[in-house]
Structures are given as structure tokens and as C-alpha cells.
Amino acid sequence: MEERNKTLGEFIIENQKAFQYSSGELSRIINSIRLAAKVVNHKVNQAGLVDIIGAAGEQNIQGEDQQKLDVYANEVFIQTLINREIVCGIASEENDDFITVKGSDNCHNNKYVILMDPLDGSSNIDVNVSVGSIFSVFRRVTPIGTPVTSEDFLQPGINQVAAGYVIYGTSTMLVYTTGYGVNGFTLNPAIGTFYLSHPNMKFPENGNIYSVNEGNYVHFPQGVKNYIKYCQREEEDRPYTSRYIGSLVADFHRNMIKGGIYIYPTSSKAPKGKLRLLYECNPMAFLAEQAGGKATDGFGRIMEIQPTELHQRVPFFCGSKSMVEKAEEFMAEAN
Ligand code: AHM
Ligand code: MG
């Protein structure tokens, strides 16, 4: 008989050794994300429905004011993490500053901080396109028992102990790494359980998909323009296919499965790029490298950048290793 798929809960227990400095805390963080993901998933799936019921004026489905989904997702993730007392600090795209979590003993005794984008690509919600949640976990660097400081959050990506995303797509998946490869779990919505569906995910070494917002072409640096022309040139394995959802998690997920490159470069409109280093690019870079891919800012490794600000932006080139390296060649040449 074929072995049935493991649940995420079973996988976490069996792979306890994959959690660095294991004391069960990191497992509990992943468990909290699993729970928050299910709650957000439920709400995302109702996005259109709430409007319909609301418009009919019959009832408010939740008995509460309708909130913007990114604000709702932010509250769900933060409350889930705070209630379970497993992190000492939280930084979110939705909050200007980081949140200090004392714990019920008021002692700041937890050792991890989490940085997250609770609902990335949320402008896609209204048009029924996939969105995602992204998270990145670090051990704090300040002493346990003291309040967290910005130092705990402004760590280079190489210090990450876990990272992952939830994609709310045609199915909902939780994909994460603790530094021992990347595993993907698909939610069975009928029973609310995540099953291991994509063990040991790997970027193909090469690919034929390029994902970039070409509407901004005229504003791009010359190296990116040249690389795009390279992708479009008629050769044995080219032109490549262009696929851009405008939802980082969904573009990354497709490229990891099929082979491709995602680029959000600097432009004259966005001189530092658009995406945020700490809770968008670092976690995706950790996943990419763990899956055999590559993530750079066009010149150097994303995970080696020393952050200086919580909401710092950075140009992002991420995907199949050979493709990212080719794009880097064009960047270096044009520099
Ligand atoms: P957001 O955090 O405001 O949702 O912005 C991030 C999103 C990414 O998911 C996506 O890849 C990118 O912005 C798309 O930007 P653009 O519309 O400029 O192409
Ligand atoms: Mg975002």
C-alpha cells in the first residue's frame, strides 16, 4: 500500500531535529503560522462572498465591520503569535515600528523574533488573484529577559532560522524551510489539515520564464533592459515565456516549480526597488537558496546585506541559479 501523505503536524514532530537549537519553540512558531494561515485562508476565500452578502444588506457574515483583508491578516498573525507566547518581538509590513511581546510573565523570556508581510499582493484580492503571507524568523541577539530592540530585527538574512510563505491560490499551501531544504504542505479545506504534498522542493537549475513588470521598462537600469532583450531574443531555447502575476509569492512559487526568474529592479521611479528586504526578500532568498536557487540584488547576495531600517527596500533578482547568474552578468556589464 502506498504511504499516505504526512500531515504538517506529524512532519514537525518527526523533524524536530531540523529545528536548530531545538527546544520546541520554533516548532510552536510554525504551528502558530499554520493556525493563522487557516484563519486568513478562510477569510480570503470569503472575499467575494462578503461583498455579495453585504450588498444584499441582509447580514454581516461575521457580525463585525468589514475590514481590509491585509489589516485583518495582520491582526490574525499578530494575535496568534502573541497568544501563544512564543516570540519576543514582531515586525510587520503593516506596522511602522516593531512590537515588543512581554509574555504573560512580563519577562521577555522568548528567544525568537518574527518579521512578516501578513498579506502580500493584497491589491490582487479584488480581482480574485492569488495572494500570500511571508515570514522570517531570527534568534534575538539581545539578552533574553530584556525587551527586544531594533538590533534583534536588523539582522542579515544569513542569520534566519526559518522562513516561509503561505500561498492562497487555487489551493492553499504552506511552504517553509528551517535550513534543511524546502517542504510544501497543501491544505485540505474540508478538514482543515495541511498535508505534505511537495517534499524537498527544488528550483530547476535553469528555466524559461521571466517575471518582471515590463510596463516599467523605460525606467529600468540598462543591465535589466539588456537582460530582458536577451530573454526575448530568438535562439535555440529562447525567447523565454513572460509570466508576471504581480504577487510575489505566486510568481516565486510558480518559478520554483517550473524554473524561472523574478526581477523587481531599481527604476527611476523606485530608486531603491520596491520590495522590502526584511520580510519579503530575505525570506524568499532563504527559501530560494534552500531550494537550489539564487537571490541577489543584481550584484550581491541578498542574505548578506546588513539591514539599516525595518522597512528598507532592495532590488530583487530571484529564481533558477543559471538565470539569476545570467542576469547578474548583464548587470555587471552595464555598470
Ligand atoms: P505589497 O507589499 O504592497 O503588496 O507590494 C508587493 C507586491 C509584490 O507581491 C509584487 O511582486 C509587486 O508588489 C508588484 O508590484 P508592481 O505592481 O509594481 O509590479
Ligand atoms: Mg508586501
Side-chain angles (χ1 to χ4, degrees):
M1 201 176 80
E2 219 176 275
E3 201 193 340
R4 69 169 181 83
N5 282 354
K6 286 186 184 71
T7 66
L8 173 55
E10 288 166 342
F11 182 87
I12 290 173
I13 292 166
E14 280 177 25
N15 289 274
Q16 195 69 28
K17 68 172 187 324
F19 294 98
Q20 287 179 42
Y21 323 105
S22 179
S23 60
E25 274 173 86
L26 195 49
S27 307
R28 286 168 60 213
I29 294 177
I30 304 291
N31 269 325
S32 302
I33 287 164
R34 166 175 73 164
L35 174 62
K38 284 194 256 187
V39 176
V40 172
N41 175 62
H42 181 66
K43 194 82 165 185
V44 166
N45 284 336
Q46 283 185 334
L49 197 58
V50 170
D51 275 350
I52 292 164
I53 294 171
E58 285 173 6
Q59 63 180 127
N60 175 333
I61 201 162
Q62 298 290 320
E64 63 192 21
D65 290 341
Q66 206 179 310
Q67 275 175 323
K68 277 186 68 190
L69 266 168
D70 40 9
V71 177
Y72 176 82
N74 194 38
E75 281 173 13
V76 170
F77 274 95
I78 288 174
Q79 275 317 319
T80 308
L81 290 160
I82 290 179
N83 290 346
R84 294 190 157 201
E85 299 191 19
I86 38 173
V87 290
C88 54
I90 305 170
S92 163
E93 176 168 340
E94 297 293 327
N95 297 74
D96 290 345
D97 209 351
F98 60 82
I99 298 167
T100 304
V101 184
K102 291 187 210 158
S104 53
D105 57 4
N106 262 347
C107 288
H108 307 279
N109 269 336
N110 292 314
K111 59 174 179 277
Y112 293 107
V113 294
I114 188 162
L115 300 99
M116 62 178 188
D117 183 351
L119 205 64
D120 185 62
S122 53
S123 61
N124 284 311
I125 289 268
D126 293 346
V127 288
N128 226 330
V129 170
S130 302
V131 289
S133 305
I134 311 173
F135 65 92
S136 165
V137 180
F138 289 88
R139 268 168 83 86
R140 64 183 303 175
V141 291
T142 54
I144 289 181
T146 61
V148 282
T149 72
S150 59
E151 240 188 290
D152 297 309
F153 297 92
L154 300 181
Q155 299 191 52
I158 43 171
N159 291 358
Q160 288 173 104
V161 293
Y165 59 79
V166 183
I167 176 167
Y168 310 97
T170 39
S171 61
T172 293
M173 283 187 69
L174 172 58
V175 175
Y176 76 92
T177 183
T178 56
Y180 296 86
V182 177
N183 289 289
F185 301 82
T186 302
L187 180 66
N188 177 343
I191 53 174
T193 303
F194 280 101
Y195 287 95
L196 178 61
S197 53
H198 295 63
N200 197 17
M201 297 178 85
K202 290 284 176 212
F203 267 95
E205 163 72 23
N206 214 331
N208 69 352
I209 297 172
Y210 71 103
S211 314
V212 60
N213 186 342
E214 274 182 81
N216 293 328
Y217 184 88
V218 291
H219 300 290
F220 286 159
Q222 193 57 44
V224 174
K225 285 181 177 167
N226 294 347
Y227 179 67
I228 291 174
K229 286 294 159 224
Y230 165 87
C231 294
Q232 296 171 341
R233 202 167 303 142
E234 180 92 50
E235 290 290 342
E236 205 181 318
D237 62 339
R238 284 175 276 143
Y240 293 158
T241 293
S242 166
R243 289 282 182 274
Y244 186 72
I245 297 169
S247 190
L248 172 62
V249 171
D251 280 309
F252 177 98
H253 187 75
R254 181 207 51 240
N255 289 352
M256 178 159 64
I257 290 173
K258 296 198 161 179
I261 183 170
Y262 173 97
I263 304 178
Y264 209 110
T266 58
S267 70
S268 41
K269 279 201 308 194
K272 293 181 176 165
K274 175 183 182 188
L275 300 182
R276 317 293 183 132
L277 172 60
L278 288 175
Y279 41 79
E280 291 175 331
C281 301
N282 262 344
M284 289 315 206
F286 190 21
L287 288 161
E289 290 194 7
Q290 284 294 315
K294 195 166 181 183
T296 80
D297 63 358
F299 301 98
R301 194 178 172 203
I302 286 289
M303 290 210 288
E304 286 177 13
I305 297 173
Q306 173 60 55
T308 52
E309 288 168 47
L310 207 50
H311 299 289
Q312 183 171 340
R313 296 176 196 273
V314 72
F316 195 47
F317 296 62
C318 179
S320 291
K321 195 158 173 275
S322 305
M323 298 182 86
V324 174
E325 283 169 358
K326 183 52 96 179
E328 282 183 310
E329 276 175 34
F330 280 96
M331 292 301 287
E333 262 170 38
N335 208 25

